[in-house]
Amino acid sequence: MIPRRALLASCTAVAAATTAGPAAARTRPRPPTQKPAHMPLHLAPARDQLAALRSGRIGSRELLEQYLRHIARTNPGLNAVVTLDARGARAAADRADRHLARTGRTLGPLHGLPMTVKDALETKGLRTTCGSPDLADHVPDTDADVVALLRAAGAVLIGKTNVPVLCQDIQTGNPVFGRTLNPYAGDRTAGGSSGGPAAAVAAGLTALEVGSDLGGSLRLPAAYCGVWALRTSRGASPVVPTRGHIPRPPGWLTSSDMLALGPIARSAGDLGLLLDVIAAPAPADGAAWTVSLPAPDRTELGAYRIGVWADDPRCRVDAATRDLLGQVVAVATKAGATVDGTTRPVDFAASDTLFQRLMYATSAASATDEAFAAEVKAADGVSADDPGALYLRSRTMRHRDWARADEERQRLRAAWAAYFEDHDVLVTPAAPTAAVPDQTSVPVPQRYITVDGERRPYFDQTAWVNLAGPVGLPALVLPAGRTDEGLPLSVQVIGPYLAERTVLAVGEMLARLLPAAPLPPVPAG
């Protein structure tokens, strides 16, 4: 896999890295999903919190104070929440309580629910830095479209969660706020770029988050932090509106043509709850368009046709991950599902190369004229076998070349569509291993991961999640099982275009049969 080092040149080192050896999966039955009677409400599923708010068993202000106490106790050891707006959140919670008391009606489906927002999404009146020193004092005057949807649904925004500089890393740290730690082990990465959101959800600092995903930035952190995440479909338009996401620079109306937003939560049910809120047309299209994602047409796992792509020479996975995929085959087969364990919907290498070309091309949009001119000159002089050739030539490709790459993408979409005529979903690894050691202090060309004792390229971490990226398919990451070191393992479920609800349903049914993921060792309240 060709390193994507050029995208990370601007990242500043903020913490030391450590190393750890490989670990094997630990199989154990999934315990009943039962909330202990003593569990504080802020650690309960979002659905339970919302039911309590609607019934009046708790007020939004009282629930918010639970969250603020938990953040004060837990966040210093994680650095997941980097901008806290306690004053604004209290005012919003009080408004929600007064509205319910006065009218007897909620503000919307997220009435009074405290939650955080990724620092890449612009929030009106609240600092949004995207981890960049150049934006350290940036206070937007408008909300990102998806943030506006959260507010309109009644959510109470507590603050912002950490990201790498301009979301250009697959671990989370920056010169403005420092590094976010993995809730399971401080020497491991929380992933990136949605590392702050995923760590915050895992640690109970928020029940719900919205992450962004171009090159696995939503799903990789979810896998490493042991939470659920869903990359939503993207065709001619995204299922979740993306305006107001940085990068592009503040004020831009467009975003990358592969960027997708999606929910992060601690359960499939809570993912579906947030999906109902954020799956919506952009405001300009709202007068005529609606987003109505179809419900799954099967109710039992045994009725599904499931492909399992457990490993591939392009990106080998470790023994623990292979074992987990073997368990998927076993439990799905036992449930009566039709399981295809030899499935290969597309050519892994060709798909990955196309993804890189399109990603580098779209990333050039906001480059300065001077920087882009220098890249054009460098691309003209680079040889085809140079390690930087793919990056430079993709960043500076002519529009004719991009149009042909886009045609290749449409053909790849057609290949996936044909595959899903005979399969309902595809299950793959989420990553080659559990969370790898954090390497924010290591120069990008020197970074690597270790898979079953073998040194491998750093960006192999994203190869499996990038299968869905160029073709805009919905892809779910669900936690299942753990390594001997107690780190969570995860699998990915990919579905046909606009089949988010089918992907969620299959993921939830599989999760009931797979080993339980561990809980992070963070304070309970």
Side-chain angles (χ1 to χ4, degrees):
M1 191 172 187
I2 298 175
R4 301 172 175 83
R5 64 177 66 92
L7 279 182
L8 297 159
S10 64
C11 289
T12 302
V14 293
T18 59
T19 58
R26 178 180 299 163
T27 303
R28 59 191 174 92
R30 179 173 291 270
T33 55
Q34 182 174 319
K35 180 171 69 71
H38 63 276
M39 177 183 286
L41 185 60
H42 71 275
L43 296 180
R47 289 180 180 275
D48 291 357
Q49 296 181 43
L50 288 165
L53 288 164
R54 285 192 297 267
S55 69
R57 285 189 289 116
I58 194 171
S60 178
R61 178 64 180 268
E62 183 181 351
L63 180 59
L64 171 65
E65 297 301 334
Q66 287 189 20
Y67 271 107
L68 292 175
R69 288 192 294 271
H70 186 52
I71 290 171
R73 179 178 179 178
T74 304
N75 191 60
L78 291 177
N79 195 36
V81 178
V82 291
T83 296
L84 188 66
D85 183 21
R87 180 179 179 180
R90 285 176 173 131
D94 288 343
R95 285 194 297 272
D97 288 340
R98 288 195 300 268
H99 177 86
L100 184 62
R102 185 178 67 254
T103 68
R105 297 190 302 272
T106 64
L107 292 170
L110 298 181
H111 172 87
L113 181 70
M115 61 179 293
T116 57
V117 176
K118 183 177 180 179
D119 198 30
L121 294 166
E122 292 199 289
T123 44
K124 182 178 180 179
L126 184 60
R127 182 169 63 157
T128 303
T129 74
C130 202
S132 171
D134 293 339
L135 297 174
D137 298 319
H138 173 53
V139 179
D141 56 11
T142 59
D143 282 328
D145 288 347
V146 72
V147 173
L149 290 170
L150 297 176
R151 291 196 202 269
V156 172
L157 301 188
I158 307 173
K160 310 301 285 293
T161 45
N162 207 22
V163 299
V165 178
L166 297 177
C167 292
Q168 292 178 351
D169 202 347
I170 52 176
Q171 54 193 4
T172 294
N174 60 69
V176 181
F177 298 117
R179 180 171 73 93
T180 295
L181 281 66
N182 187 298
Y184 291 85
D187 65 329
R188 300 301 176 108
T189 179
S193 63
S194 301
V201 171
L205 309 183
T206 182
L208 302 173
E209 257 275 8
V210 176
S212 54
D213 194 313
L214 193 159
S217 288
L218 169 66
R219 290 162 292 153
L220 188 68
Y224 286 171
C225 293
V227 294
W228 294 66
L230 176 67
R231 176 192 166 99
T232 53
S233 297
R234 177 156 190 151
S237 296
V239 165
V240 178
T242 58
R243 189 209 58 79
H245 180 275
I246 305 173
R248 309 288 174 80
W252 277 49
L253 301 179
T254 59
S255 61
S256 164
D257 61 355
M258 291 193 296
L259 178 71
L261 306 184
I264 306 173
R266 293 190 292 271
S267 69
D270 282 355
L271 280 187
L273 183 154
L274 186 52
L275 179 65
D276 289 343
V277 170
I278 63 176
D285 299 323
W289 295 359
T290 59
V291 174
S292 181
L293 298 169
D297 57 5
R298 299 172 177 85
T299 58
E300 296 181 356
L301 186 62
Y304 281 93
R305 302 165 299 172
I306 300 174
V308 178
W309 195 348
D311 205 354
D312 193 273
R314 176 72 172 185
C315 187
R316 292 291 186 193
V317 303
D318 69 0
T321 304
R322 287 194 303 275
D323 178 69
L324 179 57
L325 271 292
Q327 293 178 61
V328 170
V329 172
V331 300
T333 300
K334 185 176 181 180
T338 301
V339 179
D340 178 3
T342 63
T343 192
R344 296 292 183 274
V346 296
D347 180 271
F348 202 131
S351 174
D352 189 61
T353 300
L354 176 62
F355 166 78
Q356 292 183 57
R357 292 182 66 208
L358 291 167
M359 178 180 65
Y360 296 146
T362 191
S363 70
S366 56
T368 65
D369 292 344
E370 295 79 7
F372 187 69
E375 288 182 324
V376 170
K377 183 176 180 180
D380 289 342
V382 73
S383 61
D385 58 351
D386 187 286
L390 179 65
Y391 172 77
L392 285 169
R393 292 183 175 183
S394 299
R395 285 265 296 185
T396 60
M397 67 170 65
R398 296 175 184 268
H399 185 265
R400 176 178 181 271
D401 296 328
W402 181 89
R404 291 197 167 188
D406 186 50
E407 174 66 18
E408 188 178 345
R409 166 167 45 187
Q410 303 310 322
R411 293 182 183 275
L412 190 63
R413 280 179 171 155
W416 277 100
Y419 173 79
F420 284 123
E421 290 178 1
D422 301 315
H423 302 77
D424 296 308
V425 297
L426 172 69
V427 182
T428 78
T433 68
V436 302
D438 186 89
Q439 299 175 66
T440 49
S441 67
V442 180
V444 176
Q446 299 173 23
R447 296 178 186 177
Y448 65 93
I449 63 172
T450 303
V451 182
D452 282 348
E454 177 188 358
R455 183 167 170 153
R456 292 263 297 279
Y458 176 70
F459 287 101
D460 272 15
Q461 295 174 77
T462 64
W464 286 98
V465 288
N466 285 341
L467 285 169
V471 287
L473 298 179
L476 169 75
V477 160
L478 65 100
R482 58 177 174 171
T483 68
D484 283 342
E485 296 170 298
L487 299 174
L489 291 166
S490 297
V491 298
Q492 175 177 230
V493 182
I494 303 174
Y497 178 57
L498 300 178
E500 276 83 349
R501 301 198 190 284
T502 293
V503 165
L504 282 173
V506 172
E508 187 170 26
M509 287 185 279
L510 282 173
R512 294 184 192 128
L513 304 174
L514 290 170
L519 295 175
V522 297

